[in-house]
Every structure is written in structure tokens, then in C-alpha cells.
């Protein structure tokens, strides 16, 4: 019996990570009726992380009334994991670009208030640790709105609360943290962050991420100056230097607020998901590991889910196969990070809408054909795919190893280069 692990990320706009994993599992079962399959939805800290970790741990999604970047009421969600004390909040959920039409994007006034509302709701649901996924925000307010939602008062020279948005921070005179919700004192904050940008400067939040949120060249200058002033006031009044902290510029500067006011720990998103989901133990259990996401190219090796899954699987010598809706350039570079093969799921010429609608069926069909191909070779050469997985995973299991020497001579893998696994002895 061969053991398969299905550990994909979501396929954007078509499948959640769990839906993708189940589609893979169906394909495996179609081809290998004796297979043992486990589904472990994954993410890299970006959009979909809360859902993936909830599905992986058996937790639940909680709905909360919050405000979008322009202050309009919307329904937001956070994940509460099975332990009942760990919550996952995504900045994109209440403060994301996807909540605004292109013409509405304005980082001068957009606020992260809704993300703060989600965090507060998580604390009131019993969370003692909050994982905050930084990414996809429409804001450039250095987390000022988030802080205001948590009870922090940001005051101008007349003692009035600042308006929402990054531009208003230029008028900041006083920070009052005495009004912050006391429940936050005993909550550990972990920021899932894959960028190292500082808060301000040429590689800061405004200059790098502002334009994609609607900022003009003049807006970038205005926002950068306002955020620099915010950092200066934090330093002088709270004694915390946030401007140059790696990751402070993430999610429009929300990283700076989490570090400066909540002493957040910054970790790569994929590392957090791997830890929380139990991927290491699952990879050790499996004979073959499937992963994937909507699009795969050379950038996948930089902290994306398939690369993280492959790195974990390779620690246990397991083969890794990835499937994707779109395959870009440079996928040969992924072999060096442990992804043994990459397959596209598109059946042929089709419109984007058709591909999105048929994503599950395409994942199932592709995975089934991969497994059938593996069985075709493995069944005749290695007495089953499980043997192939064990032999293909590490150099110590090369055909000249103890396991191979136990096989009859006619069943050993030929030592020709064309038939050898991708590794070298």
C-alpha cells in the first residue's frame, strides 16, 4: 500500500487549499485503489492562510462585523484553530485591496481599522496567540487604524483623535496607550511576514507598495514623510525604534505597529504554517508528496508553499510532485529546492473562466495520470510505488544500497543515467 500526502496551497479564485487537496486525493484514488491518502491544506502566510490552518487542524472560521479600508461595514472572518487558543487573522480580510474597486484605491485615507477589529474579536473569543498574515492590504497607514481599533489614541496638537489613513499621521502629536484593551497584555502576536522592507525610505512601505495601492508619486512622498513622523513619535514617546525593523513596512506598515505596540515576533509565513499544520510528521509518514498552487514559476522557490513543502519532504527523503494551473518560466530552478517534477493541469486551449470553473476536475485528472504513470514504471521495476518512493528519496537508498541488493538481479534498476533517479549517489 502506497501512502500519499496531498499538501497544496489554494488555487486562487478557484479552489481553497482543502478543495485542491481533495481533488488530488480523488485522482490518486482513481488510479490506485489501495492507496492511503492524507489531505493537509497549506498556505504561505498570505491570503487563504486562516482557512488552510483551520482545515488542517480541525478549527473553525468565525464571522465578525468589521469595517473595510474606507470605513464601510463588511463581514470579516478569522480562524480559531482546534486548540481554542490560537487565532489566525489576515490583513487582506478586512483591509485588503480586493475589497475596493480600482477607482476607490486611496492609501492616503485607507485604514487598517478592520484588521484591528478582527484581532480584538479573536482575543474576546479566547485567543492567547494571534498569527497575523501580512499581505494584500489596501492601506499605507503603518497600522494606525489597527491600533485605534485596539483602543490606542493617536492625537493631534489639539488633543483630537486623528482621522483615518496614512496621510493623517503627519499631524500626530501624542500617543496614548493607556486606553488599549487590557486583554491584549497576555496575548502573543506572531507576524507572518515574507518581506524585509523597513517602514520608510526608498525600500519602505510607501515607495515599494504604495503605487500598487493607488498612490501617485506625490502621494508616495506625502505618505513616506507621514510614516517617518509616526516612527519618530513612537521612538520618542514609547522608546521603541520601529523604522528600520526588517518587515516593518509589510502590509502598508502594519508590521511596524505590531512590533512597536505589541512586540510581535516576525517569522516567514510558510514556516508558521508548516509548524502549525504538522507537515513534518505527515511528510515522514508519506511515501509520495503532492503539492501545488495556482501558478508556479522560478519565484516559487522564494518562500512559496510548494518550496516549503518540498524542503520539509526532502528532510525525510520523499519524492515531491507539484501541479499548477499555470506554469511560468524557470521551473527547472525548482528542482534544486526539492520539487522533483511540475505538471500543468490545463487540458488545452481554454478561456480563463473555463479553467477556473474546471480547476477541481483538472487537478483530479492530472494527478490521476501522474499516479498511473508512476505505477506503470514502478510496478514492473520495483514491486510497487512505495518501493520507488523509498528508493528515490535519498542517496543511501541508491540501487547499490542494502535494499536493492536484496532484490533479484533482474529487478534492480539499471545503472544507466537515463533510468536513475534525479539524485546522484
Amino acid at each position: 500500500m502506497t501512502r500519499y500526502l496531498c499538501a497544496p496551497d489554494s488555487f486562487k479564485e478557484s479552489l481553497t487549499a482543502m478543495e485542491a487537496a481533495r481533488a488530488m486525493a480523488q485522482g490518486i484514488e482513481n488510479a490506485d485503489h489501495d492507496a492511503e491518502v492524507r489531505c493537509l491544506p497549506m498556505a504561505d502566510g498570505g491570503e487563504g492562510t486562516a482557512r488552510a490552518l483551520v482545515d488542517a487542524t480541525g478549527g473553525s472560521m468565525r464571522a465578525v462585523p468589521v469595517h473595510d479600508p474606507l470605513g464601510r461595514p463588511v463581514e470579516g472572518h478569522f480562524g480559531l484553530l482546534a486548540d481554542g487558543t490560537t487565532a489566525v487573522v489576515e490583513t487582506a480580510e478586512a483591509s485588503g485591496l480586493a475589497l475596493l474597486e480600482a477607482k476607490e484605491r486611496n492609501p492616503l485615507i485607507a485604514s487598517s481599522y478592520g484588521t484591528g477589529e478582527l484581532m480584538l474579536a479573536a482575543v474576546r473569543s479566547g485567543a492567547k496567540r494571534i498569527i497575523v498574515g501580512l499581505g494584500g492590504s489596501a492601506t499605507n497607514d503603518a497600522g494606525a487604524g489597527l491600533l485605534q481599533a485596539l483602543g490606542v489614541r493617536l492625537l493631534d496638537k489639539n488633543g483630537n483623535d486623528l482621522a483615518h489613513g496614512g496621510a493623517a499621521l503627519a499631524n500626530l502629536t501624542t500617543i496614548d496607550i493607556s486606553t488599549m484593551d487590557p486583554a491584549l497584555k497576555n496575548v502573543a502576536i506572531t507576524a507572518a511576514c515574507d518581506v524585509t522592507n523597513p517602514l520608510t525610505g526608498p525600500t519602505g512601505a510607501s515607495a515599494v507598495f504604495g503605487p500598487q495601492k493607488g498612490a501617485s508619486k506625490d502621494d508616495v512622498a506625502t505618505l513616506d514623510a507621514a510614516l517617518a513622523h509616526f516612527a519618530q513619535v513612537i521612538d520618542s514617546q514609547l522608546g521603541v525604534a520601529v523604522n528600520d525593523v526588517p518587515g516593518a513596512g509589510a502590509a502598508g506598515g502594519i508590521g511596524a505597529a505590531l512590533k512597536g505596540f505589541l512586540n510581535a515576533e516576525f517569522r516567514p509565513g510558510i514556516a508558521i504554517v508548516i509548524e502549525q499544520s504538522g507537515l513534518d510528521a505527515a511528510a515522514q509518514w508519506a511515501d509520495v508528496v503532492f503539492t501545488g498552487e495556482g501558478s508556479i514559476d522560478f519565484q516559487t522557490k522564494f518562500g512559496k508553499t510548494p518550496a516549503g513543502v518540498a524542503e520539509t519532504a526532502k528532510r525525510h527523503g520523499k519524492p515531491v510532485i507539484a501541479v499548477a494551473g499555470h506554469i511560468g518560466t524557470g521551473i527547472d530552478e525548482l528542482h534544486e529546492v526539492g520539487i522533483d517534477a511540475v505538471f500543468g493541469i490545463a487540458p488545452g486551449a481554454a478561456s480563463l473562466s473555463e479553467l477556473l470553473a474546471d480547476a477541481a476536475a483538472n487537478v483530479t485528472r492530472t494527478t490521476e495520470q501522474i499516479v498511473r504513470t508512476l505505477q506503470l514504471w514502478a510496478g514492473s521495476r520495483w514491486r510497487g510505488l512505495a518501493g520507488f518512493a523509498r528508493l528515490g528519496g535519498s542517496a543511501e537508498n541508491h540501487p547499490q544500497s542494502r535494499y536493492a541488493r536484496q532484490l533479484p538481479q533482474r529487478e534492480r534498476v539499471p545503472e544507466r543515467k537515463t533510468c536513475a533517479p534525479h539524485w546522484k549517489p
Side-chain angles (χ1 to χ4, degrees):
M1 177 183 294
T2 305
R3 294 172 296 192
Y4 301 84
L5 174 65
C6 300
D9 201 329
S10 61
F11 283 55
K12 194 171 184 179
E13 298 184 40
S14 56
L15 300 172
T16 67
M18 179 57 90
E19 289 170 340
R22 287 173 174 163
M24 288 177 173
Q26 183 62 61
I28 292 168
E29 291 166 355
N30 289 348
D32 185 350
H33 302 304
D34 296 323
E36 187 173 352
V37 186
R38 290 186 183 178
C39 293
L40 191 67
M42 298 296 294
D44 60 13
E47 294 177 59
T49 296
R51 169 58 69 183
L53 284 177
V54 161
D55 288 341
T57 65
S60 62
M61 295 296 295
R62 304 292 181 90
V64 183
V66 296
H67 293 85
D68 77 0
L70 298 182
R72 299 171 298 200
V74 294
E75 183 176 81
H77 301 82
F78 69 90
L80 190 64
L81 305 192
D83 62 10
T85 62
T86 302
V88 185
V89 170
E90 299 175 17
T91 57
E93 179 67 19
S95 307
L97 273 175
L99 297 172
L100 305 180
E101 296 181 15
K103 64 183 180 180
E104 295 178 320
R105 296 178 182 180
N106 186 349
L108 295 173
I109 61 173
S111 172
S112 58
Y113 194 91
T115 298
E117 290 178 304
L118 285 175
M119 292 178 65
L120 201 56
V123 171
R124 291 173 178 169
S125 295
K128 298 299 181 184
R129 180 192 180 199
I130 302 177
I131 298 169
V132 183
L134 300 180
S137 77
T139 63
N140 201 105
D141 68 347
L146 179 155
L147 295 170
Q148 290 170 317
L150 298 181
V152 175
R153 296 194 68 192
L154 305 175
L155 309 173
D156 64 18
K157 64 181 180 180
N158 297 317
N160 298 317
D161 292 293
L162 293 184
H164 290 314
L169 290 171
N171 301 318
L172 178 65
T173 300
T174 304
I175 298 173
D176 183 2
I177 61 172
S178 66
T179 52
M180 182 184 290
D181 195 300
L184 291 162
K185 293 180 180 179
N186 298 316
V187 177
I189 307 295
T190 301
C193 180
D194 294 309
V195 301
T196 58
N197 303 72
L199 181 60
T200 65
T203 59
S206 305
V208 175
F209 306 113
Q212 69 191 45
K213 302 176 183 183
S216 67
K217 185 176 180 179
D218 289 342
D219 292 340
V220 167
T222 297
L223 289 165
D224 195 58
L227 268 58
H229 176 65
F230 186 34
Q232 183 180 19
V233 177
I234 292 173
D235 193 359
S236 63
Q237 296 188 13
L238 303 182
V240 182
V242 299
N243 191 71
D244 297 321
V245 172
I254 289 177
L258 297 181
K259 186 65 176 179
F261 291 78
L262 299 170
N263 194 30
E265 174 192 16
F266 284 66
R267 295 183 62 196
I270 185 61
I272 296 172
V273 175
I274 287 172
E275 178 184 277
Q276 292 293 318
S277 66
L279 176 65
D280 190 75
Q284 187 173 13
W285 165 87
D287 293 316
V288 180
V289 177
F290 277 91
T291 186
E293 62 180 341
S295 180
I296 289 180
D297 58 21
F298 73 95
Q299 297 182 79
T300 298
K301 67 181 182 180
F302 300 115
K304 298 297 184 180
T305 294
V309 170
E311 181 181 357
T312 302
K314 287 308 177 187
R315 286 202 294 269
H316 301 291
K318 305 304 171 70
V320 179
I321 300 169
V323 300
H326 170 263
I327 296 178
T329 59
I331 62 167
D332 55 307
E333 297 180 29
L334 302 182
H335 303 320
E336 65 190 40
V337 298
I339 299 177
D340 297 298
V342 181
F343 294 85
I345 65 170
S351 67
L352 177 59
S353 60
E354 290 173 326
L355 292 172
L356 293 176
D358 297 336
N362 290 337
V363 169
T364 296
R365 186 199 66 258
T366 303
T367 307
E368 177 180 346
Q369 296 308 310
I370 292 169
V371 173
R372 288 187 182 279
T373 301
L374 292 175
Q375 285 185 311
L376 184 67
W377 182 82
S380 62
R381 305 305 304 181
W382 291 107
R383 295 177 174 175
L385 187 54
F388 162 74
R390 288 191 292 271
L391 291 173
S394 64
E396 68 182 7
N397 287 323
H398 186 264
Q400 297 300 319
S401 69
R402 174 182 58 80
Y403 182 90
R405 288 195 298 271
Q406 293 174 353
L407 294 175
Q409 180 66 36
R410 66 180 183 277
E411 292 189 350
R412 295 185 191 173
V413 168
E415 293 183 79
R416 291 175 298 164
K417 184 177 181 180
T418 54
C419 294
H422 75 280
W423 43 257
K424 296 179 180 179

